[in-house]
Amino acid sequence: MSESSPTPPVKPVIAAGAAKRANASIIGMLLAMFSTVAIVLAIVWLNPQQKADGYRVAIDVPAVAANAAGPAGFSPVAPTLPEGWFANYARWNPPGTDGVAFWDVGYVTGSNTFIALRQSITANPTWVAAQSSNAPVTGSRTIDGHDWELRDKPKGDRSLVRHQRQHHDRFDRCGRFRRL
């Protein structure tokens, strides 16, 4: 039986050039990451911040309504807005495939809720149903002495529809509206 002498563990020796090459890929990766982050941060910091009020274009709804009155065959409604509300579009839509031409105005309330107002003299029940997302009539509201149908889906938009001598006014507020 011979006793074996313990051999010291072998310590690999790496040449200086090989060690430099092994570290080069790590250093290159770190430099690439830092330069990428620096470029992205520079782009983000140099972009101007969006200002919500800076992009608001003043829409003169009464003037657009006056221009639309000729082709419409009626006087499109241009209500006086409460404080803090503004119009973000107003347009006359000629008849489409459904044959219904209508006045269309979009309003934003003081609480940033969108309201669409649509008015037509050629509206039919199919068009009214389509504009109110086929919501069933769930009640009625009286606003300023006018009776409106409430069309409401449980988790959808609510619409108020008023029928008046062949006119169909649609008052639609996307989101929640306060109970009147």
Side-chain angles (χ1 to χ4, degrees):
M1 215 169 164
S2 71
E3 282 196 31
S4 62
S5 62
T7 57
V10 178
K11 199 173 198 184
V13 177
I14 300 176
K20 187 176 180 182
R21 284 191 302 274
N23 288 333
S25 62
I26 294 172
I27 292 170
M29 181 180 66
L30 291 175
L31 286 174
M33 284 186 358
F34 287 131
S35 62
T36 302
V37 169
I39 290 170
V40 168
L41 287 176
I43 290 171
V44 169
W45 286 333
L46 292 175
N47 275 332
Q49 295 298 318
Q50 183 179 13
K51 296 179 183 174
D53 290 342
Y55 298 105
R56 186 179 303 167
V57 177
I59 306 293
D60 187 359
V61 176
V64 178
N67 287 337
F74 63 91
S75 296
V77 66
T80 303
L81 299 178
E83 186 67 31
W85 289 37
F86 64 93
N88 62 354
Y89 68 87
R91 61 183 166 237
W92 173 252
N93 293 295
T97 56
D98 55 9
V100 177
F102 61 96
W103 168 242
D104 190 13
V105 185
Y107 295 106
V108 179
T109 68
S111 61
N112 252 0
T113 302
F114 178 74
I115 296 176
L117 175 102
R118 296 188 177 123
Q119 181 182 21
S120 177
I121 59 171
T122 58
N124 55 49
T126 304
W127 182 83
V128 172
Q131 295 300 308
S132 58
S133 302
N134 293 316
V137 176
T138 57
S140 64
R141 298 285 187 264
T142 301
I143 303 170
D144 289 337
H146 299 284
D147 292 327
W148 296 74
E149 285 179 350
L150 173 62
R151 293 175 178 244
D152 191 6
K153 283 187 167 180
K155 292 185 179 179
D157 298 336
R158 296 177 183 162
S159 299
L160 292 171
V161 178
R162 187 176 100 194
H163 304 279
Q164 174 188 350
R165 286 185 271 133
Q166 295 185 359
H167 289 287
H168 292 279
D169 298 336
R170 178 174 174 261
F171 185 68
D172 178 28
R173 179 171 172 173
C174 299
R176 298 181 59 122
F177 63 86
R178 62 189 163 99
R179 297 290 175 182
L180 302 171

